[in-house]
Amino acid sequence: MAGTTDSGTGEYSGTDGAAPDRAGLAPEKTAATPGPRRSSWRYIGPGIVVAATGVGAGDLVATLIAGSKFGYTLLWAAIIGCVVKISLAEAAGRWHLATGTTLFEGWRSLGHWTTVYFAVYVVVWGFVYGATAMSSSALPLVALFPEGPGLKTWAVITGLVGLVFVWFNRYAVFEKVMTVLIGMKFLIVMYVAIRVAPRLGDAFAGLVPVLPDGSLLYTLGLIGGVGGTITMAAYGYWVNAKGWTDSRWMRVMRLDNRVAYVTTGFFVVAMLIIGAELLHSSQIALTSGDRGLIDLGTILEDRFGVVTAKLFLVGFFATSFGALIGVWHGVSLMFADFVDRFIRERFGVDTEDMVDMVASGQRERSFMFRAYLLWLTFPPIGLLFLDEPFGLVVVYGVLGAFFMPFLALTLVWLLNSSRTPAEWRNGVLSNVMLTVAGLLFVVLCAKQVKDLIW
């Protein structure tokens, strides 16, 4: 095959348009539709989905608190965090397109330990996350409609609405709704950031790397935490669901991914500005967790009036509910792929090509996809009415803390091995970024586990 590889990014610049060999992981196949000759904005989609899903209410609160404590000083860390996420999501998408296999197939090729980890993770994580996502989506609705149902009732309603929406709609409709939600929260957050009148000189000064006393953990959290969840692994599945199934879509995927995390960067910078201008100068502290956004709504009402406060709560809902339906869809795709692969190996059952099943929409109609949707919805509803058991919370936190280092370091492993066609393996820049990300996530993981256990 004619072509070269960029040593920095691993980007292939071949001229013959042919898809590479699959390095023994899957048979060669021809895409149902030809890939584009060049990247174009009209193809953008999966990146919008991952941006809408990856930045939840908790991420916005973390950024607000960083801005409230240190002003603009950590703006540079937020920018670096977006670059790190671009590298991670690009690597996940590149695996799917270069090999014609899903990420779980890649993990499985590394040994049985990946199956054990993911099986426990996806069950426990889904159970606790379902309750968390429903509560987060309910909080702004309670504030918007104080005379309406209570928090638990709204939480159940949002969970059921998410279940019905994902159950009966395919990826194309899902993507359009996610685009509307991200548009809402983008415009509202940017509007609020403009209303608080940012000091541009101080903001530009924040681009210079500085670590104030006591800021190390906040810095690491901004770089590694915002927009960094299991949805980064789901990105490759959304790429396939869009109909991108081989390396001819590589340039489009990369543009799509960059749009996603540049958008995320705007969110993070805007929330940091709000924290710096509205909270830092006044020494106002927010409640930890998603309820901190309710506090911010009250502050906005006092400063700018009820309309701005209500708009912010609408943006809060768009953020939380977008994350809910994004997980309901993306992680259910991953779970269905995981179970299908396990059944195929354990019982010797032949199945259709997994990437094609995702691209054709068959995976979204599968029994296991819908079974995991039910798992994300109904058992967590019971958890809403109980105090979360301490042991379950610890297991959930530990498994979640390990996921991002697991993702980063396994991508380094997979994309430097013969499992990936030579022209699509990591270049120097990709290896540096993924390794740095992996080490960063290991540090964050160690801190989170220590805090949980002690």
Side-chain angles (χ1 to χ4, degrees):
M1 177 183 293
T4 59
T5 304
D6 181 273
S7 61
T9 65
E11 181 170 345
Y12 179 67
S13 57
T15 57
D16 57 8
D21 294 335
R22 305 297 194 227
L25 279 176
E28 180 69 34
K29 60 184 178 65
T30 302
T33 56
R37 293 187 177 183
R38 62 179 182 271
S39 57
S40 170
W41 291 95
R42 67 189 179 93
Y43 294 114
I44 298 302
I48 296 298
V49 173
V50 80
T53 307
V55 181
D59 295 318
L60 297 188
V61 173
T63 310
L64 269 175
I65 291 175
S68 69
K69 287 182 175 291
F70 303 104
Y72 292 100
T73 308
L74 300 182
L75 185 60
W76 62 273
I79 303 299
I80 290 177
C82 291
V83 175
V84 168
K85 304 308 186 311
I86 287 173
S87 301
L88 275 167
E90 187 275 340
R94 175 154 46 99
W95 169 267
H96 278 247
L97 296 182
T99 66
T101 64
T102 64
L103 186 54
F104 184 76
E105 289 185 83
W107 285 338
R108 182 64 189 81
S109 73
L110 300 178
H112 290 285
W113 64 275
T114 59
T115 301
V116 174
Y117 168 75
F118 188 78
V120 177
Y121 172 79
V122 79
V123 172
V124 176
W125 181 89
F127 180 41
V128 181
Y129 179 83
T132 302
M134 286 186 267
S135 295
S136 180
S137 297
L139 276 170
L141 293 175
V142 172
L144 283 166
F145 306 104
E147 303 302 321
L151 178 67
K152 292 176 182 177
T153 302
W154 274 122
V156 172
I157 291 171
T158 58
L160 293 177
V161 169
L163 169 68
V164 171
F165 171 74
V166 176
W167 188 291
F168 290 105
N169 288 291
R170 303 280 76 83
Y171 175 80
V173 176
F174 166 71
E175 183 187 287
K176 288 181 173 63
V177 171
M178 293 294 274
T179 301
V180 172
L181 291 174
I182 198 172
M184 289 170 57
K185 71 181 187 180
F186 179 84
L187 292 175
I188 290 170
V189 168
M190 295 303 293
Y191 163 74
V192 174
I194 292 170
R195 284 298 304 269
V196 302
R199 291 163 289 158
L200 295 181
D202 290 346
F204 282 115
L207 297 175
V208 178
V210 175
L211 278 177
D213 291 341
S215 68
L216 179 59
L217 294 179
Y218 288 96
T219 303
L220 293 176
L222 274 179
I223 295 174
V226 178
T229 68
I230 191 174
T231 54
M232 298 196 68
Y235 177 63
Y237 289 83
W238 286 323
V239 163
N240 291 154
K242 182 74 170 176
W244 306 346
T245 57
D246 63 29
S247 59
R248 286 173 289 187
W249 292 93
M250 196 72 76
R251 291 181 182 274
V252 175
M253 180 276 294
R254 282 172 166 153
L255 174 63
D256 177 77
N257 173 52
R258 289 162 189 162
V259 168
Y261 282 98
V262 167
T263 303
T264 299
F266 277 109
F267 289 145
V268 174
V269 169
M271 292 304 289
L272 200 71
I273 287 171
I274 294 169
E277 295 294 346
L278 209 57
L279 306 175
H280 179 65
S281 58
S282 304
Q283 296 298 303
I284 299 174
L286 295 181
T287 304
S288 61
D290 297 351
R291 291 183 182 274
L293 294 182
I294 300 296
D295 292 348
L296 181 61
T298 303
I299 295 167
L300 287 171
E301 183 172 354
D302 293 340
R303 182 74 65 88
F304 301 112
V306 68
V307 173
T308 297
K310 295 293 186 186
L311 274 176
F312 179 76
L313 290 172
V314 170
F316 178 6
F317 173 74
T319 299
S320 298
F321 190 67
L324 185 152
I325 61 173
V327 167
W328 262 230
H329 187 275
V331 184
S332 295
L333 279 177
M334 294 182 68
F335 178 79
D337 181 42
F338 163 72
V339 174
D340 191 40
R341 173 79 183 191
F342 178 80
I343 290 173
R344 184 169 70 173
E345 288 188 349
R346 185 66 177 251
F347 300 104
V349 177
D350 290 331
T351 60
E352 295 184 42
D353 182 89
M354 295 185 181
V355 166
D356 284 342
M357 289 183 72
V358 176
S360 67
Q362 293 180 61
R363 185 69 79 205
E364 294 163 284
R365 296 187 291 271
S366 69
F367 172 80
M368 286 302 169
F369 179 88
R370 289 174 169 172
Y372 195 72
L373 276 178
L374 296 173
W375 176 253
L376 281 168
T377 307
F378 288 105
I381 285 176
L383 196 59
L384 289 171
F385 294 88
L386 300 171
D387 291 331
E388 294 181 356
F390 176 75
L392 183 62
V393 172
V394 170
V395 173
Y396 165 77
V398 170
L399 289 170
F402 274 97
F403 184 80
M404 290 305 289
F406 170 78
L407 175 63
L409 297 175
T410 54
L411 282 171
V412 172
W413 190 348
L414 290 169
L415 292 169
N416 282 288
S417 72
S418 60
R419 299 171 182 83
T420 304
E423 52 267 58
W424 295 114
R425 292 175 197 163
N426 280 353
V428 173
L429 180 58
S430 292
N431 275 324
V432 169
M433 293 303 298
L434 290 175
T435 301
V436 168
L439 295 175
L440 168 66
F441 291 129
V442 167
V443 172
L444 290 172
C445 172
K447 177 189 179 297
Q448 186 170 347
V449 170
K450 179 183 176 182
D451 291 346
L452 282 166
I453 293 175
W454 299 108

